[in-house]
């Protein structure tokens, strides 16, 4: 079977182009320029790259962006004060606090005090609850980016068995809920697998769609995949590389080289899901500036 490579980079560029055109129109009409702020704590290499990419993407589509880089040693109180400052800054339409945070800071506390109407990551309990209940909400960027790929590649999901591997708050859990919704894409029968799942390969072999978000490089091997399955790889683990100039390379959760030839569709790493996460964040920020979710 011919496999189609799902090009997240190209798709995200198309979305960014659409956003840029809308921003140009807003500017022409003298409207409010969307403004995204990002808080980064510490110097984790992966997080630095992700946040820088988010800020660069803002510039590319004509948004205003503010990067707030805090020391690893910042106290929880100081970070919460910064979040409150952004809550009260009328020019900031939406903001994110890049995860993971240092161990001495509670991500739950941070997510609870940011204003739901500025929570463009969709992590606040109010946005999560509204998403579950089909009320207008900011949808989490990575799962929403995956839905956008399934939509733009016209991949049938209705009635299919979707196996999500990984139950994180950011990807696996919301993804499983979104794939089960009465929507397009959606209407899947969903199985959510995780580290305690017994006979995981047996379950994945029955999947029409596999969404791997477990954070273990090359976890999904060819023997776990049904011929013709759609495989979405959310993994982005940095591993040491002797051949790359940067000294590392990104590895997905799927053993691409042996799995790809069995699939109908597959996302590469890099260039699959990753760029779509940023495109989704920009879409949420645009919705925030237009007050589309919370009027
Ligand atoms: N860390 C990994 N993914 C994300 C994300 O989508 N948003 C934030 N804030 N942190 C992350």
């Amino acid at each position: 079977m011919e496999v189609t490579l799902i090009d997240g980079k190209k798709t995200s560029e198309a979305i960014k182009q659409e956003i840029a055109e809308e921003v140009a129109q807003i500017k022409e009409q003298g409207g409010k320029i969307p403004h995204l702020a990002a808080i980064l704590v510490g110097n984790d290499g992966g997080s630095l790259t992700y946040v820088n990419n988010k800020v660069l993407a803002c510039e590319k589509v004509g948004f205003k962006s503010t990067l707030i880089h805090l020391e690893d040693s910042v106290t929880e109180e100081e970070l919460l004060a910064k979040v409150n400052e952004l809550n009260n800054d009328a020019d900031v339409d939406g903001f994110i606090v890049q995860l993971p945070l240092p161990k001495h800071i509670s991500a739950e506390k941070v997510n609870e005090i940011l204003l739901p109407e500025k929570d463009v990551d969709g992590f606040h309990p109010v946005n999560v609850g509204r998403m579950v209940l089909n009320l207008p909400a900011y949808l989490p960027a990575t799962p929403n980016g995956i839905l956008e790929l399934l939509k733009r590649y016209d991949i049938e999901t209705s009635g299919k068995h979707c196996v999500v591997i990984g139950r994180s708050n950011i990807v696996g859990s919301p993804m499983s809920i979104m794939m089960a919704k009465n929507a397009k894409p959606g209407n899947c029968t969903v199985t959510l697998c995780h580290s305690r799942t017994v006979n995981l390969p047996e379950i994945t072999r029955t999947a029409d769609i596999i969404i791997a978000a477990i954070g273990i490089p090359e976890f999904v091997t060819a023997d776990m995949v049904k011929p013709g399955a759609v495989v979405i790889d959310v993994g982005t683990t940095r591993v040491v590389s002797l051949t790359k100039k940067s000294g590392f390379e990104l590895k997905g959760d799927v053993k691409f080289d042996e799995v790809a030839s069995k699939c109908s569709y597959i996302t590469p790493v890099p260039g699959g899901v990753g760029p779509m996460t940023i495109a989704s964040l920009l879409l949420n920020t645009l919705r925030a500036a237009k007050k589309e979710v919370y009027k």
Side-chain angles (χ1 to χ4, degrees), residues 238-292:
R238 279 184 159 206
V239 298
V240 172
S241 164
L242 299 174
T243 52
K244 293 271 186 323
K245 238 196 336 210
S246 60
F248 70 87
E249 62 183 314
L250 286 185
K251 276 252 185 273
D253 288 352
V254 176
K255 204 162 188 180
F256 185 90
D257 291 345
E258 64 175 49
V259 171
S261 59
K262 276 187 101 171
C263 302
S264 53
Y265 293 87
I266 190 167
T267 60
V269 174
V273 173
M276 292 302 292
T277 298
I278 294 184
S280 298
L281 176 68
L282 296 176
L283 280 172
N284 276 348
T285 306
L286 182 61
R287 291 173 80 203
K290 296 196 310 189
K291 307 270 182 285
E292 266 183 16

Side-chain angles (χ1 to χ4, degrees), residues 54 97-99 121 123:
K54 288 171 184 178
V97 181
Q98 186 67 24
L99 303 176
D121 258 332
F123 293 168

